[in-house]
Amino acid sequence: MAKKLSIKTYGCQMNLYDSARMADVLAPLGYRLVDGPEDADMVILNTCHIREKAAEKVFSELGRLKGLKAAKSGGDMIIAVAGCVAQAEGAEILRRAPFVDIVFGPQTYHRLPEMVARAVRAGSEPGPGRGILDTDFPVEPKFDHLPEELAAGLEVQGTSRHLSAVLTVQEGCDKFCTFCVVPYTRGAEYSRPVDAVVAEARRLAAAGAREITLVGQNVNAYHGEAPSGGGEWGLGRLIGGLAKIDELDRIRYTTSHPRDMDDALIAAHREVAKLMPFLHLPVQSGSDRVLQAMNRGYSVGDYRRVVDRLRAARPDIALSSDFIVGFPGERDADFKETLTLVREVGFAQAYSFKYSPRPGTPGATFDDQVPDAAKAERLAALQALLDEQQAAFNQAAVGRTMAVLLAHRGRRPGQLVGRSPYMQSVHLMAPESLLGAIVEARITAGRANSLAGTLARGAARAATSPAADGTMERAFA
Ligand code: 5AD
Ligand code: SF4
């Protein structure tokens, strides 16, 4: 009999990929994904450690699961904690939540079948030392041990994985930004060989993926072994290779580091029509002093030059970014420089955070921590500006025709929701038979977080250019 599996994913796109692959690993054991944890036989929380708030969520969710497990007849619910909190605080989780059966890190989930078998043998009676902990960094990468078959019915961010897929090509980070836990939770940088990536992309495309997002903590540091072993390929070349897969219409990549935007990758934005004109390029701060304290390895001027080169290569490219306010030592004048940079560059979308000191990172030990009140004030000012820019960007789409990948049903009867080349959600009325198609949509309204449109032409379109009217101009003059 099929067993019910619930996976809740926090954090970044890497975790989305890992969750999908966990489902693949567990499918041969009879586990099928269900929506919520209520009646599940196994629940996995795939966690994020990047900020304190993200990590705290795990313990509150575990409290809820404890009740569900106790209420389930026979108490047969395997509770597992995966991801970066598991990696960083595995033993602590088992101590604080002894009803947790399995704790495993991002590099060991290919061993889930053994862990599940051991958990079943151990039974569901809580007891000290009963929980299984596997947070190794194995010498052989997990990718070599993951199954080729893809689990059925999987959704990633509300969209069938069989339509818009994430594919991890690189993991880990050697850059050691002083605020960041990633080098500690995900380990050293590793790039998958080109052949392995291409083979997986082909499987995803054969399963129906039309859009693929290449992911990595530092995805543009990618340097995978070339096919037939001759040297290495960078990300630009990899994208060129993947564009040859006919069934794939759209390629994206995230998250990039400004220091690794090399010539070949910038050229790919000019040359590869399938590469979408939208790039997440975190800058973190607009102050050289702060960037240096963060050990980012670039100046504001360097970032501006990268943006200029990208825009020269692909004039319709839109940018998204991450910002941290209140990093130790950040003064009002530094923060004002961040606002200036935002005004000058113009972002279609962005994430901004108050600095959160993370145990084990250098930033947490810096003397001049910024009081929370100042962080809150700066965050509000920055978010107001970014929201304004996002609204202007969405408004600029009104009256244009865009290629929209129809991804899932909307809330209203007859409504479908799709994705624009710029990752905007587009709501429109369309027959269900068009789910999975790329259609031309005329944009009729731009809202804070989404667009509304109408079908410009009913027929599905196999074309790859992002907009029917050529390109989308920048919303920012
Ligand atoms: N505090 C606040 N934000 C952080 N980020 C990473 N580490 C921290 C931290 N300690 C943000 C960065 C990064 C994004 C994923 O999360 O902006 O780009
Ligand atoms: Fe969070 Fe970083 Fe882990 Fe992704 S890699 S889940 S952002 S801590």
Side-chain angles (χ1 to χ4, degrees), residues 50-51 179-181 255 280 282 284 322-324 351 353-358:
I50 198 99
R51 286 171 294 276
F179 52 78
C180 188
V181 288
T255 288
H280 185 62
Q284 312 298 358
D322 289 339
F323 297 88
I324 296 177
Y351 301 96
F353 312 99
K354 289 193 233 172
Y355 171 65
S356 160
R358 305 305 287 133

Side-chain angles (χ1 to χ4, degrees), residues 21 45 57 59 76 79 103 172 179 214 264 268 283 291 313 329 341 358 368:
R21 299 302 269 146
L45 300 182
K57 281 189 199 149
F59 286 101
D76 289 334
I79 298 181
V103 173
F179 52 78
L214 308 177
V283 62
L291 288 174
L341 177 73
R358 305 305 287 133
D368 31 10

Side-chain angles (χ1 to χ4, degrees), residues 283-287 290-291 294 300 322-324 330 334 338 341:
V283 62
Q284 312 298 358
S285 167
S287 151
V290 174
L291 288 174
M294 288 176 167
V300 177
D322 289 339
F323 297 88
I324 296 177
E330 185 188 72
D334 298 302
T338 299
L341 177 73

Side-chain angles (χ1 to χ4, degrees), residues 332-352:
D332 262 332
D334 298 302
F335 174 66
K336 291 215 167 75
E337 289 181 0
T338 299
L339 295 178
T340 302
L341 177 73
V342 171
R343 280 194 202 97
E344 287 175 1
V345 172
F347 293 95
Q349 198 260 334
Y351 301 96
S352 42

